[in-house]
Structure formats: structure tokens, C-alpha cells
Amino acid sequence: MTGERDLEVLLRGMRPELHQGRYVFTSVSGAIPPGLAPVVTVAEPEGLTLVLRQEEADRTGLAYDYLAAWITLRVHSALDAVGLTAAVATALADAGLSCNVVAGFHHDHLFVPHEAADEALRHLGELADRA
């Protein structure tokens, strides 16, 4: 099934879902250390970025400085859809909230400040209602 491309449909159907737990961004050189199950990995020249549960980073002594909540937009967005990331990021930026977006094949994933998760969900709901 191909993803949705119509921005209005995407916004109305976002259905943001908050995952339980606290997530952190860290970087390692080389492969993923044994025993870790990152939810996101990004290979960069400086190292391998891992997004994983805070407990995993703490258990293995990995450094981090950003504590995030993970929100998945349950709408199946096409990878070439135009405007969803911009609309979501703008709504959260207007509320003073940072947002790190990761696109998966089926869904977009937002990492927002953990302490502001409920506020982020409220703003996303308002954005969907306005669409």
C-alpha cells in the first residue's frame, strides 16, 4: 500500500501516539554495542547515532544530554509527501518546542522534550483539528 500524499488528509489523520518511556540520542564509534536495541540509527561520519531508551544508555554508560518523548504519527505518509514535516515542526516551534523528526517507511516519528510530551500532543491535536 502506498502512503498518503495529500497534506490535508495527512494532517487530519495524524493520530499521534505517545510511546512509553524516555529516549535519548547518543553516538558510538563502530557497531551497535551488544545488548542495545535502538529505535533509530543514523550513520554519520562522526559516528553512529543511536536513539534508545534512557535505561539502556544508563546501563551501558553512554553519554547523552537530551531527554525525549517519542511520538509516532500513525498516518501512513508517503516518503515523497510534501508539507507534513514542515507543518508539524512549525506548530511545535510556534509553541516553543523542539522536535527531531525521523521518517520511517510507514510513519513519521517525533522526538520532543520529554517534559513537554503532553503539550506536544495537544498542539498536534489542534493542528489536526484545523486541517
Side-chain angles (χ1 to χ4, degrees), residues 2-74:
T2 60
E4 180 61 55
R5 288 179 178 83
D6 183 283
L7 180 58
E8 187 174 317
V9 172
L10 287 167
L11 292 173
R12 279 196 325 258
M14 284 191 297
R15 297 186 331 274
E17 176 184 297
L18 178 64
H19 296 261
Q20 294 301 309
R22 299 168 187 256
Y23 295 84
V24 298
F25 288 67
T26 190
S27 183
V28 298
S29 57
I32 298 170
L36 295 182
V39 297
V40 175
T41 62
V42 179
E44 301 178 291
E46 300 85 354
L48 182 64
T49 297
L50 308 176
V51 181
L52 63 154
R53 287 186 169 273
Q54 179 187 17
E55 299 84 23
E56 291 184 65
D58 290 344
R59 185 182 74 243
T60 56
L62 292 171
Y64 57 86
D65 60 8
Y66 178 70
L67 191 57
W70 174 17
I71 298 171
T72 296
L73 303 181
R74 298 306 307 170

Side-chain angles (χ1 to χ4, degrees), residues 1 7 11 30 37 67-68 86 89 92 112 116 123 126:
M1 182 168 106
L7 180 58
L11 292 173
L67 191 57
L92 295 176
V112 300
H123 289 291
E126 291 169 359

Side-chain angles (χ1 to χ4, degrees), residues 76-90:
H76 181 183
S77 56
L79 290 168
D80 62 351
V82 175
L84 179 60
T85 300
V88 166
T90 298

